[in-house]
Amino acid sequence: MAIVVFEDDEKKWSVIRESLREKGVRDSGIKRIDNIAQFVEMAGKPIDLCIIDIRMPGVSGGETRDAGVELLKMLDYSGLQRVPLLAITAYPEEARRSQSTFASRGCIIYDYSDRKTWSQALDIFLAQSKEKGRYQFLLFTALGKERDAYLKLPGFREESVQRNGIDLWETEIDGRAGAIVLLPRMGIINAAVMTARALELYSPAVVAMSGICAGIRENAELGQLLVADVAWEYQSGKWLKDAFEAEPYQISVHPNTRLSLSKLLETKGLISRLEASFSGGVRPSKMSKPKLAAFTSGSAVIASEKRLSTVKSQHRKVAGIDMEVYGFHRAVEICARSMHAFSAKVVVDKANETKEDELHEYGCLVSAAFTVDAVRLLLSETKE
């Protein structure tokens, strides 16, 4: 949980901090900002709750001034419109002048001298924030066998639960709480809707999608692990009689996430380590180097060279094709909260008339193993 307290008065800060400690919030989860200029330190960091004062100095050591409305605007301009807010002030009379502005932002102003009331309000806000911060990572799979693959990984433990209508396996990676979400059905729409809903409910620091996919013959090999670099929907465009005029909108993985993943993919002996838990079944006839790849998604399974030719014309290096990756990344893209996000799938067929399932078990396992390694790495780069 990450709580930011805007407070310049030492006594008030000590009282508010102590109240948060009494409610179980760790010191590492409480960040103090004592002047407006210090606001820049919040840039790009996850925040679960803001406690603000209506009078603060512009710079360290400066004169205090009416800064409540200014703080509201700064939060909104910084993309933090949906972060819960409450104001605790020692100047209730002055606060009434801006009460309507604060109310329109969903922020109630509490009198600092009435500790019992604002402390009770904090209980409610913290309960909501704890639920929102329940999971530090979320993993998404479209198929039961993609999720079942995690059970074969060393030390993996799960508890099956249902929260808010979502099918979850709760688990941990290096002591960090997370869950695996099983989509109700395959497809780009289910992936987008369920990802968006889960992100809204839980605000994780890292999200990922694992599983199996088809590969484009020229750019992917059977059994190859593909990590999406860019993704788009191959169905986006316009049909003109018998011709399709594509209009794809691409989504790119965040540069910081991409760099971390590319370094992980360079690890010596990566594939041997990832498939170490594979105890039986069919392996690919040859080992292929895993790579970052162009990925495209659509609502239907393609098992036709003719249909595939339309997809291949949209990007000369397209390597992976599935039904969910673009929907997953689109939901992440429009989320108001920044996070690490990636998708990793293993090629199990070539999207032609000879689709088979003999590599499914292998692909699900290798993808799951890489996803756990990548999440572990990205969590280590994310401050609590």
Side-chain angles (χ1 to χ4, degrees), residues 5 17 23 33 40 48 97 103 129 149 166 170 207 210 235 294 298 326 355:
V5 181
R17 180 178 57 183
K23 298 175 189 300
I33 289 182
V40 296
D48 298 303
R97 295 199 299 266
S129 296
I166 301 177
E170 293 186 330
V207 292
S210 67
Q235 299 167 143
Y326 175 77
K355 290 176 77 73

Side-chain angles (χ1 to χ4, degrees), residues 15 75 95 98 107 113 134 163 170 179 183 190 208-210 213 245 260-261 297 310 334 343 373 379 381:
V15 171
L75 288 166
S98 303
C107 179
S113 64
R134 178 185 291 274
R163 297 188 189 280
E170 293 186 330
L183 303 183
N190 276 281
M209 172 166 278
S210 67
C213 66
E245 191 175 277
S260 296
L261 294 174
S297 304
T310 301
I334 63 176
S343 51
D373 276 6
L379 284 174
E381 298 174 353

Side-chain angles (χ1 to χ4, degrees), residues 6 22 52 102 105 119 134 137 164 166 172 178 201 221-222 245 252 267 280 297 304 326 373 384:
F6 291 83
E22 291 171 356
I52 66 176
F102 277 78
R105 177 61 170 79
S119 181
R134 178 185 291 274
F137 66 90
N164 300 294
I166 301 177
E172 289 186 354
L201 287 168
E221 300 292 337
L222 288 175
E245 191 175 277
S252 297
T267 305
S297 304
S304 164
Y326 175 77
D373 276 6
E384 293 188 20

Side-chain angles (χ1 to χ4, degrees), residues 41-102:
E41 296 181 15
M42 295 173 53
K45 295 183 179 179
I47 300 171
D48 298 303
L49 173 65
C50 279
I51 301 172
I52 66 176
D53 193 4
I54 65 169
R55 290 190 64 86
M56 289 188 69
V59 295
S60 179
E63 292 292 325
T64 61
R65 55 185 171 83
D66 187 347
V69 175
E70 183 180 355
L71 282 175
L72 294 183
K73 290 180 179 178
M74 291 175 72
L75 288 166
D76 288 348
Y77 291 154
S78 300
L80 301 171
Q81 302 95 329
R82 308 187 74 171
V83 174
L85 295 174
L86 75 156
I88 302 175
T89 181
Y91 303 92
E93 293 297 327
E94 186 174 328
R96 291 191 181 94
R97 295 199 299 266
S98 303
Q99 192 167 10
S100 60
T101 302
F102 277 78

Side-chain angles (χ1 to χ4, degrees), residues 207-251:
V207 292
M209 172 166 278
S210 67
I212 54 178
C213 66
I216 305 299
R217 187 179 302 279
E218 297 85 352
N219 299 319
E221 300 292 337
L222 288 175
Q224 188 172 24
L225 173 66
L226 304 179
V227 178
D229 187 6
V230 295
W232 70 94
E233 181 186 3
Y234 64 76
Q235 299 167 143
S236 178
K238 183 177 182 180
W239 280 101
L240 300 170
K241 293 186 179 181
D242 293 331
F244 181 68
E245 191 175 277
E247 192 174 351
Y249 296 95
Q250 294 185 359
I251 295 173

Side-chain angles (χ1 to χ4, degrees), residues 261-272:
L261 294 174
S262 67
K263 291 301 180 183
L264 179 58
L265 290 171
E266 293 173 0
T267 305
K268 185 177 181 180
L270 176 63
I271 290 299
S272 296

